[in-house]
Amino acid sequence: ASFTISLHKADNTTVLIKLRPDLSPSCRIRMKNVIRSELKIKPGENVTFTFTCSTPEKYFITEIQKNIDCVSGPCPFGDVHLYPPGLPRLNRTYIWDVKASTKAGLELKFSTSWLRQIEPGETCPDSISYNINSCIDKATVNIGTFCRNGSVSRVKLLGGVVMSLHLPWHSPLTTSGFNIANRASIKRLCIIESILKGESSVTLMSPNYPLGFPEDELMTWQFVIPPNMRASVFFHNYSLSNCERKEERVEYYIPGSPSNPEVFKLSDSQPANIAGSFNMSLQGCDQDAQNPGILRLLFQVVVQHPQVDENVTHLVDLSKEKNMTVTIHLEGWPSHIPLMSEPICLICKDPRTCDRVLTLTSGAVYKISFLCKDLSRLRITAEKGIGCMDIRWCQRKNYSLSVPKAITQLPIRLHKFIWKLLATDLINIEIMSPSLKLQQHVPEQRCNTSYSYSIVSATPETALNVGVFCPGGSIEKIQMRNNITISLKTFGKGYINESIPQDLKMSFVPHIKDECSFTVSPNPKAKVYLQTPNWPYGLPPYVSVSWFIVVPSKQTARLGFSKDRMGIACETGRAYINIKEETLGAEEIVRREDELLPQPREMHHNFWVNVSNCKPVHKTQLTLQFWVAFADKQIDLGIILAVVAGAGVLTAIGLTVYCVKRKKKKTQHPMVGVYNANVNTQMPGKKGLFGKGRQNNESHVYAVIDDAVVYGDLLKESNGSVAPEVDVYRPFDGPIGSLPPSPPPFSFRKDIKCSSNTEEEPLPLTNIDQDTYTFAHQKSGQSEDNGDADKQDKGDTSLPLLENKERDGLVE
């Protein structure tokens, strides 16, 4: 197809068709049998041409430039048309170069679609864009690049302007969408007017952005806001130049304000909650010629309805807190930056000081309010520091790790509360949860509470991720070396009610040998899963971790590991697992990294599990998980049978003695007693009744041997915890003291009842049968003839033999 372009000389328009940059000339222009790669049509020319290919839009672009002189003659004000007609369907750029005096102003007024400013490098959805440049003398300032469908309705400029419209080859657009009007001097670089309707926002940039704003220039943005709406200004990106004179600043003219203009630094929080329309101006300074720097600004204006509870304030009392900050922010902050189109939530320290993010520090009382329809989009992140540099000042002090009420009473959900615990090298940190206890989050036993604690132990060389824990478990205490970071993170709206009984505490303790030590005190019949820190990346080299497992007295624990081996190979040193019960003579179980781990085993007492790492070879890590299950103790059947048998034997012996005694009583008519004048029949324990010393009598000879002594081995308790003394009679051949022996321990004097309040008089010696019995040890050399009643023992038996046995029992 052929194309004919006819340009009137009075139009002062030039058309240039040229190849796209960086494309091979596989398509050309043919005009009068002349092949060329570029065609320039000047004013007053009439040209017919064709393309050598069927898709010239892939290879060629068109530039149409119209020069308008408003200095030497009248300006053609009014709507700007797309001229000339009949252009080939190529990507087109229309350029209007308007020259005007700096004493006058030009106004570009856009149609109802208006414009939206975009950052350099950004493209428009429909590929239609406008670019505005201001020309003052020989200097050109890029006001900005704009797409259609925005809020920018007018741009007023000082002096000349170069306006460009970029259209894709397939665009059906036939009008420029703006007109040019003459205005009086605006006495500044430019004025950009933005009309915002309803809840909306606009993002704007300073001229030449991201390059520098012209030196010592002034420009203004005019914002037209419905009177029943509220506007807020946010600076998202800015930089300052190096000023020799004056100061870079932002000025606001707000109708009704008592201090117009209100002057702010670019580093200040900008005004918020502005009722109605307002102006904002950016003022540059005289820059340092050697090091000028760059003044630039990217900002956003957000318009929203006034909130129903905008006058409701919330008291946040941090006056008694120390080393704490509270930040209120949007969900996802700081990694997620909300889109400009998203409804905005503002936090205000006062009616005009609002921002998307508000940080409060300890030691003060704040009254805050919210400009936000949906408070569920807001979150709270708080941080508190606790330190100890001298153990003498903080060793016996417990610190509560609970969220202050000043935070929980706000209508904002807590996202995270971080405690940073700092101590010197010789001071360690102990975390306690005495009532709720902690559960370690492991695959077999996941946390399902509305919040959890993440605990990290950090040194300048390494960080040890101790694990994630939640309330309601078995871990009562964790001791750690180095500095600790504890992060409480919430997962739902139920946190406030569920967290009321928080009992997490911490204290500073002297140095411990392990990097980490756990005290596990489980509930009855519980099954606890535990795993090494830094899961699943493995313990750092040479790190040692211990667990102290408390076994209830009436229960046994069963310890097992989740795998057969440690699963590492050591480059330097050895990795060990040590298991030992905390009881006298307990065997210690030790396994190296090249050995099989112990099979599940029963533990009857409190025990330790220690894991010590070596320096593993590349790509191997020490990760270990074990479990402890608890059950009631089972009484051994053999012990029960032994006790029953012992009781039976005692009963049989008692019956035998009773029967023999009764039989003997019946055969004696009358009872004939053998009188021994040397036997003392007084109660034991009376003083001053003996005329002889112990050296001259046989009071140390056993008169009665307690059954509990003879059969003590049969009276052991089933669990073996109490073992009565077992004794046999032996002749006494040692030295004899001057004091009488003491009675046996009360544990073996089962027929004697003692009162702690009164001292009873000894009962008289009585016998139902009025018999007197004396038992004496036969000395060597005496006759064993039972019938020889005339041979009497010549020793002094004035001290009862029973008292000697009682004292010997206490001495033993």
Side-chain angles (χ1 to χ4, degrees), residues 587-714:
E587 177 189 1
E588 184 173 8
I589 303 167
V590 181
R591 294 290 187 273
R592 292 195 316 242
E593 81 281 355
D594 56 350
E595 297 176 327
L596 289 172
L597 296 178
Q599 294 295 319
R601 58 189 299 111
E602 303 290 335
M603 313 296 284
H604 299 278
H605 304 88
N606 302 342
F607 63 95
W608 287 90
V609 176
N610 176 268
V611 178
S612 300
N613 198 13
C614 60
K615 182 182 179 182
V617 299
H618 184 58
K619 293 185 179 180
T620 61
Q621 300 294 339
L622 176 54
T623 58
L624 195 65
Q625 185 186 90
F626 63 94
W627 51 265
V628 183
F630 296 86
D632 293 334
K633 282 185 177 179
Q634 301 296 326
I635 300 177
D636 191 356
L637 184 60
I639 295 177
I640 296 176
L641 293 176
V643 172
V644 172
V649 171
L650 289 176
T651 303
I653 293 174
L655 288 175
T656 302
V657 172
Y658 176 76
C659 292
V660 170
K661 190 173 180 180
R662 296 294 294 176
K663 184 176 180 181
K664 182 178 179 181
K665 180 178 179 181
K666 290 180 180 181
T667 58
Q668 293 177 353
H669 303 286
M671 176 68 68
V672 178
V674 179
Y675 174 74
N676 187 351
N678 293 326
V679 174
N680 179 24
T681 60
Q682 300 297 322
M683 278 294 294
K686 291 290 185 179
K687 298 179 181 180
L689 299 178
F690 305 100
K692 299 179 182 180
R694 295 187 68 212
Q695 293 84 350
N696 301 321
N697 64 36
E698 291 184 356
S699 61
H700 58 281
V701 178
Y702 285 90
V704 177
I705 301 178
D706 198 316
D707 290 343
V709 175
V710 178
Y711 303 102
D713 58 330
L714 300 178

Side-chain angles (χ1 to χ4, degrees), residues 103-208:
K103 296 180 181 180
L106 291 176
E107 178 182 279
L108 304 178
K109 187 175 181 180
F110 299 93
S111 60
T112 53
S113 62
W114 296 336
L115 301 184
R116 173 176 61 88
Q117 189 172 7
I118 60 173
E119 297 186 48
E122 189 178 351
T123 59
C124 298
D126 58 2
S127 299
I128 299 176
S129 63
Y130 296 85
N131 185 264
I132 305 174
N133 288 272
S134 175
C135 300
I136 302 176
D137 299 328
K138 294 183 180 180
T140 300
V141 179
N142 181 17
I143 303 300
T145 302
F146 301 82
C147 300
R148 298 194 300 170
N149 301 316
S151 64
V152 176
S153 58
R154 289 190 295 179
V155 177
K156 301 175 185 179
L157 302 114
L158 182 65
V161 60
V162 177
M163 179 73 177
S164 302
L165 170 61
H166 303 277
L167 297 177
W169 67 270
H170 54 77
S171 173
L173 193 66
T174 57
T175 60
S176 66
F178 71 96
N179 61 49
I180 299 177
N182 186 17
R183 290 293 181 266
S185 176
I186 58 175
K187 299 180 180 179
R188 59 199 67 203
L189 177 63
C190 65
I191 299 174
I192 297 176
E193 179 185 78
S194 177
I195 302 176
L196 294 116
K197 296 181 178 180
E199 287 196 328
S200 58
S201 68
V202 57
T203 300
L204 296 165
M205 285 145 273
S206 59
N208 281 344

